[in-house]
Amino acid sequence: MRPRVVAVTVVCASLLLLGAAPGAGDHPPLPARMAGTGGGTQLITAVAPEAGATAGTLTWWDLRDGRWTPAGSTPARFGANGLVEGASRRQGTNTTPTGLYGLPFAFGVRAAPRGTSYPYRPVRQDSWWCQDNASRAYNRWTEPRPADCRATESERLVAYRTQYAHALVIGFNYDKPVRGRGAGIFLHVNGRGATAGCVSAPVEAIRRMLAWVRPQQRPHIAIGTAAGPTAITRY
């Protein structure tokens, strides 16, 4: 999803501890309160205080001895128009889709951080992400851009050197793409403001996550709000 430049006030991570940090007292950690975590032993949670928010908290977790333990946490940014249920999202709305998703692969303009074991594709001059609903390559990485995928409806990845210095593909609308639902939803490095639908975080946090995430542990990302119809615990 093409990054935007929108001013945003970053929510202090401590404001979202109740939804994203390990429980205190009798409260279990957030992943233990979710409907599902994807069946793996690594999970990233991206929590916003409400659906209209453009900032929140990103936490990454390991399942150890049957208990979810946080491995790190950082402020996160969301779409300029907040978050919306992934199953009903529409392309071009600048909203971040809520739900539980796989992480197909990572990519970046810069080389993979030391310790990265996740599949990582280098961004080249002819690397594109097709967002053209009329193309057979809809919601796919292409090299080069195919003739049926218009440049005006796609992202030339190298053009976003800051945001796509490092990124993880979020598997929203990926396995069986639905035209018009949205394409190019990533976990990427912060730009100067809210996103066009992706989740973003500071560059050092993204680098730490890339060194942490392991394909054999089947990591997923859950995106949602602290409460309400798009509460992260629903997914």
Side-chain angles (χ1 to χ4, degrees), residues 35-99:
T37 58
T41 57
Q42 288 186 324
L43 179 70
I44 301 170
T45 55
V47 185
E50 58 187 9
T54 60
T57 301
L58 194 70
T59 306
W60 48 107
W61 308 77
D62 289 303
L63 183 61
R64 297 175 179 171
D65 299 322
R67 183 174 178 83
W68 287 100
T69 303
S73 187
T74 189
R77 294 174 181 172
F78 301 103
N81 289 324
L83 294 81
V84 69
E85 176 67 49
S88 59
R89 183 184 185 272
R90 302 303 299 168
Q91 186 163 326
T93 55
N94 296 325
T95 53
T96 298
T98 60

Side-chain angles (χ1 to χ4, degrees), residues 57-214:
T57 301
L58 194 70
T59 306
W60 48 107
W61 308 77
D62 289 303
L63 183 61
R64 297 175 179 171
D65 299 322
R67 183 174 178 83
W68 287 100
T69 303
S73 187
T74 189
R77 294 174 181 172
F78 301 103
N81 289 324
L83 294 81
V84 69
E85 176 67 49
S88 59
R89 183 184 185 272
R90 302 303 299 168
Q91 186 163 326
T93 55
N94 296 325
T95 53
T96 298
T98 60
L100 177 68
Y101 305 107
L103 298 165
F105 61 90
F107 67 90
V109 174
R110 295 169 59 183
R114 176 176 291 184
T116 300
S117 64
Y118 217 68
Y120 191 94
R121 297 184 184 179
V123 173
R124 302 182 176 90
Q125 290 296 319
D126 61 349
S127 300
W128 290 77
W129 197 277
C130 183
Q131 299 177 1
D132 189 338
N133 281 282
S135 174
R136 289 171 294 178
Y138 179 66
N139 203 21
R140 286 293 184 271
W141 172 295
T142 67
E143 285 183 357
R145 178 176 54 83
D148 71 344
C149 182
R150 293 168 291 173
T152 55
E153 297 295 321
S154 303
E155 286 188 2
R156 190 182 183 196
L157 300 178
V158 75
Y160 301 97
R161 291 184 175 276
T162 296
Q163 293 93 333
Y164 297 158
H166 305 292
L168 276 159
V169 176
I170 295 174
F172 166 73
N173 200 30
Y174 188 80
D175 291 338
K176 296 180 180 179
V178 175
R179 311 288 166 150
R181 184 160 292 169
I185 300 297
F186 311 129
L187 171 57
H188 64 68
V189 175
N190 282 341
R192 287 184 284 172
T195 74
C198 296
V199 180
S200 73
V203 61
E204 287 307 317
I206 298 294
R207 290 178 64 85
R208 291 199 305 272
M209 275 186 279
L210 285 171
W212 161 82
V213 73
R214 295 286 183 269

